Amino acid sequence: MITDFEYYNPVRIFFGKDQISKIAGQIPSGSKIMLLYGGGSIFRNGVHEKITETLSDCDLTEFGGIEPNPSYETCMKAVEQIKAEKIDFLLAAGGGSVIDATKFIAAAAKYSSGDPWDILAKAAPVQDSLPIGVVLTLPATGTEMNRNSVISRKSTTEKLAFSSPWSLPRFSVLSPEAAGSLPKNQVANGLVDAFVHVIEQYLTYPVNAHIQDRFAEAILITLIEEGPRVYADPADYEAMSNLMWSATMALNGLISCGVPGDWSVHSIGHELTALHGIDHARTLAIVLPGLWRVLKEEKKEKLLQYGERVWKITEGTEDERIDLAIRKTVDFFESLGIRTRLRDYNVPRETIDKIVRRFEDRKWLSLGDRGLTTPSATRKALEYQY
Ligand code: NZQ
Ligand code: ZN
């Protein structure tokens, strides 16, 4: 049965070409705006120029250098500058890292109950935030239309998430054109991240949620069909448009309404990024097949449905069909140049112990769908993928 749910997503979306010019009308006049960005891609794909042109009459400061897997340390530097300059609107331009960092910065700038790290480490509630606008140049995370943010702390090699309605952007410009300048490895990351987001909300157990299931399957099929096209040519505007909207729809809350979720692939994956710096999507491609192999029996019904509806697998015993569905998923990831074994990334075996110990220390003893991801399931999944 679908459980009771409340769905509210107020993010205004501007999708397509020539949309950046619309942001001027979305920012209250007289605002002191800070444009936040990463390592400089926005200077090479025309996004910086378009933003500064459309905001030429505004009071605009910049904060660049936000790194992939954004750090708490960098975020706090932005917070200092915001306070010193009395900034009151944040505009994030780039991928998930810049947007997530901006969400944390916006909350930290208004946080008055101590160290803002507590928002991540102790789930301290966010009770206020600076308003945020977004120009998205990398389809992957869905952060442009959700309330989540993931931040790393270099000093402790931790990567933690928080979620707050205060972090929903006021608007997001989705630019498939700007994403045309992405290197192939980032396109592959985006495809796999969006794919696994859908899986984490869909591949649990049946609850007769037909719309949620069929939306999820539609996104997965679109990613499988468009994946090779957009990977071959990121500047293929049509294919990139399909990837971009798929990635946004994959994690804007729609497909998770009233259904169970999992998210343990992400929890384990974040540890691999925190400890070894592996790209987020690649960690998911490593963990997912291992966890499926461990939880094959418990997730049987949904694995069979996934195999049949997404991969059109209709023949063989149940076991054979599930194995084939897992194999096809791995082949899809590998076809995008994404390796799925720990040894492909030179991760030592000791990392498995370290991750299991961290989960035990944090009392994360039953993660995900029905609490099935115990420390021992995590260990087995990672051992499968060695
Ligand atoms: O820093 P710049 O110069 O902008 O370059 C970036 C970066 O090097 C580059 N890039 C972005 N757009 C480009 C471009 N290069 C050329 N052309 C363009 N149009 O791509 C590189 C990677 O960017 P990043 O933002 O790190 O990638 P992504 O969007 O995959 O974000 C990953 C982060 O999001 C978190 C991940 O954990 C990770 O920290 N996630 C956030 C989620 C959320 N808030 O809901 C959910 C996800 O599960 C995920 O955990
Ligand atoms: Zn993800």
Side-chain angles (χ1 to χ4, degrees):
M1 193 179 77
I2 298 172
T3 53
D4 295 0
F5 66 86
E6 180 180 327
Y7 183 63
Y8 175 65
N9 194 322
V11 183
R12 186 185 298 274
I13 298 292
F14 298 104
F15 186 100
K17 298 179 181 172
D18 305 322
Q19 298 295 305
I20 291 179
S21 59
K22 295 191 179 156
I23 66 181
Q26 298 298 316
I27 301 176
S29 61
S31 297
K32 289 195 76 163
I33 308 167
M34 177 183 267
L35 168 62
L36 299 102
Y37 56 87
S41 67
I42 64 162
F43 292 96
R44 293 185 293 275
N45 57 24
V47 165
H48 183 270
E49 202 181 329
K50 284 185 188 152
I51 290 175
T52 47
E53 199 179 291
T54 195
L55 297 179
S56 59
D57 292 335
C58 301
D59 185 343
L60 185 67
T61 348
E62 298 191 4
F63 183 90
I66 295 171
E67 61 279 73
N69 305 309
S71 74
Y72 168 77
E73 289 84 351
T74 301
C75 290
M76 291 313 287
K77 284 188 195 139
V79 171
E80 250 175 64
Q81 193 178 329
I82 286 165
K83 287 185 176 165
E85 297 180 21
K86 302 199 170 9
I87 303 290
D88 53 20
F89 195 96
L90 305 187
L91 181 62
S97 293
V98 171
I99 301 164
D100 279 9
T102 302
K103 289 177 174 180
F104 179 70
I105 292 163
K110 290 281 190 176
Y111 191 72
S112 56
S113 320
D115 183 354
W117 179 248
D118 291 349
I119 297 171
L120 294 145
K122 297 185 184 161
V126 173
Q127 276 157 345
D128 198 2
S129 168
L130 289 171
I132 302 164
V134 164
V135 177
L136 178 75
T137 65
L138 194 175
T141 61
T143 186
E144 64 279 4
M145 203 177 172
N146 71 35
R147 49 188 75 193
N148 312 329
S149 160
V150 192
I151 303 294
S152 299
R153 190 158 189 170
K154 285 185 197 156
S155 58
T156 55
T157 59
E158 283 171 289
K159 188 175 188 197
L160 298 170
F162 80 98
S163 186
S164 165
W166 288 97
S167 303
L168 285 160
R170 297 291 164 98
F171 62 84
S172 285
V173 175
L174 274 52
S175 175
E177 205 170 25
S181 66
L182 280 167
K184 277 177 174 229
N185 65 327
Q186 293 297 344
V187 173
N189 283 350
L191 283 159
V192 170
D193 194 20
F195 195 94
V196 180
H197 291 161
V198 177
I199 294 291
E200 298 260 50
Q201 299 161 93
Y202 161 79
L203 219 138
T204 54
Y205 54 94
V207 292
N208 278 323
H210 299 304
I211 286 292
Q212 292 87 327
D213 274 6
R214 290 197 163 97
F215 274 0
E217 287 151 1
I219 298 170
L220 295 173
I221 291 167
T222 305
L223 291 169
I224 291 164
E225 283 177 3
E226 297 294 298
R229 277 175 67 192
V230 68
Y231 181 63
D233 179 12
D236 178 333
Y237 184 83
E238 286 184 22
M240 184 57 85
S241 297
N242 281 311
L243 166 56
M244 199 167 245
W245 193 229
S246 297
T248 301
M249 293 303 286
L251 197 48
N252 65 1
L254 193 65
I255 63 171
S256 64
C257 287
V259 301
D262 194 314
W263 298 107
S264 49
V265 174
H266 272 69
S267 301
I268 303 170
H270 288 336
E271 298 304 320
L272 289 171
T273 302
L275 293 167
H276 297 289
I278 303 170
D279 287 355
H280 170 65
R282 287 162 208 261
T283 69
L284 308 177
I286 297 168
V287 178
L288 178 68
L291 212 51
W292 271 354
R293 288 188 181 110
V294 177
L295 302 176
K296 217 158 113 169
E297 193 51 41
E298 292 82 350
K299 288 180 178 265
K300 186 165 132 184
E301 287 159 290
K302 270 307 194 53
L303 276 167
L304 287 166
Q305 179 180 324
Y306 164 71
E308 184 177 339
R309 294 195 189 170
V310 175
W311 293 109
K312 319 290 175 230
I313 301 168
T314 50
E315 282 173 19
T317 63
E318 288 189 341
D319 234 27
E320 285 165 352
R321 280 187 275 154
I322 289 172
D323 285 346
L324 186 56
I326 299 175
R327 200 158 70 240
K328 281 186 176 284
T329 310
V330 170
D331 288 350
F332 175 55
F333 296 164
E334 298 263 356
S335 76
L336 301 168
I338 299 227
R339 311 299 300 274
T340 55
R341 296 274 173 175
L342 284 169
R343 59 167 179 268
D344 297 330
Y345 300 87
N346 299 319
V347 172
R349 267 194 187 274
E350 299 85 81
T351 291
I352 301 178
D353 292 328
K354 218 182 252 180
I355 293 176
V356 170
R357 215 172 314 122
R358 278 185 164 194
F359 284 5
E360 285 168 347
D361 290 347
R362 289 186 201 142
K363 304 269 176 281
W364 290 6
L365 303 178
S366 50
L367 293 177
D369 164 20
R370 290 161 286 167
L372 294 168
T373 308
T374 57
S376 107
T378 300
R379 176 183 299 285
K380 276 192 210 140
L382 291 172
E383 275 166 2
Y384 263 129
Q385 292 310 107
Y386 200 77

